[in-house]
Amino acid sequence: MSKAIEQAPANCPLPWPTDAMDAEQLRQYAKDILRQTQPFTQENRFTSWRHFFITLAVIALFSAGAVSALAWPLRLLSGVLLGLAVVRLFVLYHDHMHGAFLRGSRFAALFFKAFGLLLMAPPSLWRQSHDYHHGHSCQYVGAENGRWPLLSTHTDLGTFPLLSTDEYQRADSWKRLRYRIARHPLMILLGSQTIFVFSICVVSLLTQPRHRPWALLALGLNIGSVAFLAINAADILLFALLVPHLVGSALGVYMFYCQHNFPGARYLSPEQWNYTATAVHSSSYMHTGPLMAWFTANIGYHHVHHANSSIPFYRLPEAMAAITALQSPIVTSLHPRDIWRCLNLKLWDAERQRLVSFAEFEALKNDPARQQALA
């Protein structure tokens, strides 16, 4: 049975099934999951193309509504639905980058390369950050010394910045302010600007010479499109571009955030970290209704995806239903209560092995044992 999201006990983490395993048992556990998930990596080409073209048809339909001469409430609704449909297409792009969806298709590769540029996530930059994320998911890397100020994700990490309670307590006021900005819910709401524009494109343009042409092309295409529409069709800019971008990026970035920032997630040191155990148990399962599962292309089955990223999105539910080890994840949802619980987690408490809020940190920082450890 899946475990509903809940607050972790005050002095201990939520238990993982792997906690009692020794090194040899963990190795066997990893081998078993890889072996059991392998059959589900087989792609059904007809099914993949069907999902691809249906997604494009839905995007075309909502785009037509957003640019049409309908009353503005209907255009606004079309823009919102267009944003949700773009989230689905982005997950298909994500799966293609993993080699799980339309692998080897030249047409798909060309299409998704253009799509990545339009969404300011060029394939080479997306692959760099996302592959790192999968290879080091929930591995605690510390304060990101030497990186750009902690305003958003960095392209090498592919995740939100995270400080431990000890590091945060040692930090000066300026570093704390930058960190609070980085973890603020507005960073998720404005995910398109903070992550895709700033972290993926601008930072790469200034710091990574080999990626500069792609970052520059992505920025140029988007700035040019916005400028053209602002001058010639402000209504289309609003309903067909700005509204979908806001809705799509807010939902997509939040889902990425909450799937590794939830009560029960652990961020372990490289010495403690185990790829499979962390992939399965520090990745949540987001329970949604069938409509939202369609718009998000099953990315809510995130623990299954991290167990084996070569599984096409449409086979993730099938894999979870068939493999016992994948049937007990911690469950999140889009219920406001669960969203608040996930957004409220700000710091990693290594002593208690759980994420805590700023309020919890303030309550714990005067703990004599912690003060002695920091002395």
Side-chain angles (χ1 to χ4, degrees), residues 173-233:
S173 298
W174 173 232
K175 188 172 186 177
R176 287 190 180 193
L177 175 61
R178 288 182 292 159
Y179 183 71
R180 282 180 174 269
I181 293 172
R183 300 286 293 195
H184 196 278
L186 279 176
M187 296 297 289
I188 294 172
L189 179 64
L190 302 175
S192 179
Q193 292 72 37
T194 59
I195 293 178
F196 294 100
V197 174
F198 179 78
S199 289
I200 293 183
C201 288
V202 174
V203 171
S204 299
L205 182 64
L206 298 176
T207 64
Q208 300 188 60
R210 70 189 180 97
H211 292 305
R212 282 175 185 163
W214 291 114
L216 187 61
L217 180 57
L219 288 168
L221 283 172
N222 281 274
I223 292 172
S225 299
V226 169
F228 177 82
L229 290 174
I231 295 170
N232 297 285

Side-chain angles (χ1 to χ4, degrees), residues 7-21:
Q7 295 291 347
N11 296 311
C12 61
L14 290 176
W16 286 4
T18 55
D19 285 343
M21 295 182 185

Side-chain angles (χ1 to χ4, degrees), residues 97-241:
M97 292 295 101
H98 278 297
F101 183 77
L102 298 177
R103 61 174 70 99
S105 166
R106 292 183 179 180
F107 172 77
L110 182 62
F111 175 88
F112 284 122
K113 182 174 289 187
F115 177 73
L117 288 169
L118 290 174
L119 258 67
M120 291 169 289
S124 62
L125 283 164
W126 174 258
R127 188 177 290 112
Q128 170 186 297
S129 62
H130 200 66
D131 287 356
Y132 185 96
H133 165 68
H134 269 263
H136 303 79
S137 177
C138 291
Q139 186 179 106
Y140 188 72
V141 296
E144 300 183 308
N145 290 327
R147 299 185 185 278
W148 274 63
L150 293 173
L151 290 175
S152 184
T153 62
H154 189 280
T155 52
D156 288 341
L157 298 181
T159 189
F160 279 79
L162 180 69
L163 292 180
S164 70
T165 51
D166 291 347
E167 284 183 308
Y168 187 78
Q169 187 162 343
R170 294 189 185 100
D172 60 29
S173 298
W174 173 232
K175 188 172 186 177
R176 287 190 180 193
L177 175 61
R178 288 182 292 159
Y179 183 71
R180 282 180 174 269
I181 293 172
R183 300 286 293 195
H184 196 278
L186 279 176
M187 296 297 289
I188 294 172
L189 179 64
L190 302 175
S192 179
Q193 292 72 37
T194 59
I195 293 178
F196 294 100
V197 174
F198 179 78
S199 289
I200 293 183
C201 288
V202 174
V203 171
S204 299
L205 182 64
L206 298 176
T207 64
Q208 300 188 60
R210 70 189 180 97
H211 292 305
R212 282 175 185 163
W214 291 114
L216 187 61
L217 180 57
L219 288 168
L221 283 172
N222 281 274
I223 292 172
S225 299
V226 169
F228 177 82
L229 290 174
I231 295 170
N232 297 285
D235 60 327
I236 293 178
L237 174 65
L238 175 62
F239 294 117
L241 190 62

Side-chain angles (χ1 to χ4, degrees), residues 29-347:
Y29 172 82
K31 289 180 181 178
D32 288 344
I33 287 185
L34 181 61
R35 174 180 54 80
Q36 292 174 66
T37 56
Q38 201 61 34
F40 299 98
T41 64
Q42 183 63 43
E43 179 185 14
N44 183 311
R45 205 65 162 185
F46 174 80
T47 300
S48 292
W49 283 117
R50 177 168 57 85
H51 281 292
F52 177 78
F53 285 114
I54 288 175
T55 302
L56 292 188
V58 170
I59 286 177
L61 175 65
F62 294 146
S63 296
V67 303
S68 69
L70 295 171
W72 74 262
L74 293 177
R75 297 183 72 183
L76 178 61
L77 176 61
S78 296
V80 170
L81 294 173
L82 176 58
L84 296 178
V86 170
V87 171
R88 176 179 173 84
L89 187 58
F90 188 84
V91 178
L92 270 58
Y93 166 71
H94 155 272
D95 270 22
H96 181 73
M97 292 295 101
H98 278 297
F101 183 77
L102 298 177
R103 61 174 70 99
S105 166
R106 292 183 179 180
F107 172 77
L110 182 62
F111 175 88
F112 284 122
K113 182 174 289 187
F115 177 73
L117 288 169
L118 290 174
L119 258 67
M120 291 169 289
S124 62
L125 283 164
W126 174 258
R127 188 177 290 112
Q128 170 186 297
S129 62
H130 200 66
D131 287 356
Y132 185 96
H133 165 68
H134 269 263
H136 303 79
S137 177
C138 291
Q139 186 179 106
Y140 188 72
V141 296
E144 300 183 308
N145 290 327
R147 299 185 185 278
W148 274 63
L150 293 173
L151 290 175
S152 184
T153 62
H154 189 280
T155 52
D156 288 341
L157 298 181
T159 189
F160 279 79
L162 180 69
L163 292 180
S164 70
T165 51
D166 291 347
E167 284 183 308
Y168 187 78
Q169 187 162 343
R170 294 189 185 100
D172 60 29
S173 298
W174 173 232
K175 188 172 186 177
R176 287 190 180 193
L177 175 61
R178 288 182 292 159
Y179 183 71
R180 282 180 174 269
I181 293 172
R183 300 286 293 195
H184 196 278
L186 279 176
M187 296 297 289
I188 294 172
L189 179 64
L190 302 175
S192 179
Q193 292 72 37
T194 59
I195 293 178
F196 294 100
V197 174
F198 179 78
S199 289
I200 293 183
C201 288
V202 174
V203 171
S204 299
L205 182 64
L206 298 176
T207 64
Q208 300 188 60
R210 70 189 180 97
H211 292 305
R212 282 175 185 163
W214 291 114
L216 187 61
L217 180 57
L219 288 168
L221 283 172
N222 281 274
I223 292 172
S225 299
V226 169
F228 177 82
L229 290 174
I231 295 170
N232 297 285
D235 60 327
I236 293 178
L237 174 65
L238 175 62
F239 294 117
L241 190 62
L242 298 184
V243 169
H245 262 73
L246 180 62
V247 171
S249 66
L251 174 62
V253 173
Y254 173 73
M255 291 196 71
F256 177 75
Y257 168 87
C258 76
Q259 287 166 340
H260 301 288
N261 291 264
F262 59 91
R266 300 183 196 173
Y267 282 75
L268 305 176
S269 67
E271 297 75 25
Q272 299 172 308
W273 186 80
N274 175 271
Y275 175 86
T276 304
T278 308
V280 174
H281 302 296
S282 254
S283 302
S284 67
Y285 162 58
M286 177 173 279
H287 179 71
T288 64
L291 182 62
M292 192 57 70
W294 189 89
F295 277 121
T296 59
N298 292 331
I299 199 63
Y301 291 80
H302 212 62
H303 66 299
V304 185
H305 169 66
H306 268 266
N308 193 328
S309 60
S310 295
I311 301 174
F313 75 92
Y314 51 82
R315 300 203 68 180
L316 294 174
E318 181 186 356
M320 180 175 172
I323 301 171
T324 302
L326 301 178
Q327 293 171 0
S328 300
I330 296 176
V331 180
T332 64
S333 75
L334 291 173
H335 190 285
R337 178 191 62 248
D338 287 349
I339 292 174
W340 169 250
R341 287 177 176 175
C342 290
L343 290 178
N344 204 34
L345 298 173
K346 305 295 186 180
L347 299 164

